[in-house]
Amino acid sequence: MASRSAIVFLLGLALAAAGCDRQRPGDGQATAAHNATSPDEVQPTRKSHGAHNAVDRHQRGLAPVDAFFISPDGQRTRIADFRGKPVLLNLWATWCAPCVKELPTLDALAGQLGDKVTVLAVSQDMEPAKVAPFVAARHLTRLKPYTDPEMGLSLGYRINLPTTILFDAKGHEVWRTSGEMDWTSDAARKLIDEAL
């Protein structure tokens, strides 16, 4: 098993190469390194500049990575533990400007969806103690402070932040998207409905 220092080193390299870009706050996403869908597919709008995020369906049907993260009560958990209803997994960090900008709309979406979909916002911060106060200070009442200090999810999926992945009730991936989103938009809701 890789040591924590090796994981931190690898994450540092990944972030240096293509990580969340705090220098371009209007960009709304880390990079466009993933494969986009065809232009005729639904593309939810980002809040900034009315641009679009591409929806990647190339991994449709795959099981989630088998990486552990930490629940708000300190228990090790995995995405597979939430099977039985759809899961919207959002990978974010307190230091990622586009991540922070989209969190209020994700919180609102969680309220709109109720029990129909589990919304998991999993912080990729290496200092998990600061995540719960960060969420509370922003009055995000529906998002729970899940943490992944080993960054098993972002490393397992080899993604930049923010990235959101929708899984169906059987635990299979439906789609993923990278970049800041307005999760309260009609287009975003249409995408979520694909798993219902």
Side-chain angles (χ1 to χ4, degrees), residues 144-163:
K144 305 302 177 210
Y146 287 90
T147 59
D148 183 11
E150 300 294 328
M151 295 160 287
L153 292 171
S154 57
L155 290 171
Y157 283 111
R158 291 180 279 175
I159 52 88
N160 297 303
L161 303 177
T163 289

Side-chain angles (χ1 to χ4, degrees), residues 127-145:
E127 296 177 46
K130 67 184 187 179
V131 175
F134 185 92
V135 169
R138 282 155 182 79
H139 308 289
L140 303 172
T141 58
R142 294 166 198 97
L143 297 180
K144 305 302 177 210

